[in-house]
Amino acid sequence: MSGGGFLESVNQNFRKAASYTNLPSGLLAQIEACNSVYQMRFPVKIGNEYEVIEAYRVQHSHHRLPTKGGIRYSMSVNQEEVMALASLMSYKCAIVDVPFGGAKGGVKIDPRNYTTRQLQKITRRYTTELIRKNFIGPGIDVPAPDYGTGGREMAWILDTYLTFKNGELDGAGCVTGKPVKQNGIKGRTEATGRGVFYGVREACEHAEDMKALGLTPGIAGKTMIVQGLGNVGAHTAMISQDEGGVIIVGVAEYEGSIYNKDGIDIHALLKHRKETGSILDFPGAKNLKDRNSVLESPCDILIPAALENQITMSNVKKIKAKIIGEAANGPVTADAHQVLVDKGVMVIPDMYINAGGVTVSYFEWLKNLSHMRFGRMEKRFNQQTYGNLIDLIERTTGKSVNKREKAFIGRGADEIDLVRSGLEETMVTAYDDIRTTMKRSKRIPDLRSAAFVSAIKKISSDYISLGIFP
Ligand code: NAD
């Protein structure tokens, strides 16, 4: 399916959810529309030749500023795809109460075809184009990593920005997902995957919902298939296995897919892929026919964490999972989603379940603006207070707390503890908000529509209080 199909899919879902609100059509049309689309072409010298690179930055909504959204490097990039992803960002930020408008960037390249130096040249030139048109800045528009990009690219963007904006006090907040040593924040790399884990775990907590799926409550012991072992997929799989007791039974990557009903140790698989360049031929697991086959294998939870349009009308009837956590953006098309809902499958929507990345990006941006690491002021003070409390308990009870327990209880929170705590709170609160919206309404049939309704209400309330709509 083309990017146009993806955009239509997002807007179709939007309109379906909009019908459950009683907001005026003009206001709904303003929320749905992409406000600014910047399409660019720029030359970059690759070897002895010049290549003309096609790229985009789309700002979907300015109801809150700055706008925020990742940058994707992929050959599938086109204007509609970036518009669809920017739209999802606005709804996503609203759902998790991150005070940004939505945006997205895309560069139409396959990063595997370029050397690190060449990628750096492309990234720096793309950033320069954004600066030229005032499409980047800590109070304007703040990019982050997405498919095909990571901390390395974000550091290049930061350096290019600061070269042009020398002395800008809050300049470090022009981009998030930076390496920790380059004004990044601990926990950003794992954030999207960790958020997926918290979200799925929360969904599994509700006994009534699990009963309807024929499952027992709790995430522990549930089987999971993951498509895409990149940033999002690998962290989702590792955290679900290590902290949730989930059994990973299937994995898909570019080169193919594997299945083992007894479980695949995700750390051993990542090591195997590093050593051999492939997930295939992993001891104990079966190589399947192609990379898409594993999507149709039996499991409780399916995590598509690669790209959009993976579950479509052509394979939806063969999907056996009871829960689908849309870690990627737009992995299920609107028509396939309807089939899943009719079948009673729980689809936890992308705009909620993968919002952990933007949530921790928000924390990183706040850190950049405050010019200080989280926990620096209070860590020692808290440690001292907890220590005094333990002493008091020991004195009054006459019993002593052992050294290990003392160290555990008396510890002040580090940046990573605070980031994880803030992320968990965000994901749990947002899930309950979506679920309650669905349960209370009686008309809203699925979590995706409920998530949209929640986002539409928050964005419309901004437009109304800004005086843009009466
Ligand atoms: P990534 O580039 O780190 O990883 C994607 C992985 O998917 C790669 O390893 C790639 O080889 C694999 N892949 C591609 N096509 C595949 C296919 N057909 N079958 C199996 N594997 C395939 O990208 P990422 O950052 O993990 O992003 C993945 C998805 O998550 C995207 O949809 C992105 O928009 C979304 N997302 C990412 C973030 C983030 O913080 N990185 C945040 C929210 C949403």
Side-chain angles (χ1 to χ4, degrees), residues 72 146-148 188 192 230-232 253-254 291 305-306 328-329 354:
R72 172 173 290 197
D146 191 67
Y147 186 91
R188 173 58 183 92
T192 308
N231 177 304
V232 179
E253 244 305 329
Y254 215 74
R291 62 182 178 222
N329 284 308
N354 70 32

Side-chain angles (χ1 to χ4, degrees), residues 413-441:
D414 276 322
E415 182 170 86
I416 185 75
D417 304 313
L418 294 169
V419 164
R420 286 179 180 165
S421 153
L423 174 60
E424 184 170 5
E425 168 64 16
T426 303
M427 294 306 292
V428 170
T429 309
Y431 186 79
D432 288 344
D433 176 36
I434 296 168
R435 185 174 180 273
T436 308
T437 302
M438 183 172 87
K439 297 269 168 195
R440 280 218 186 114
S441 113

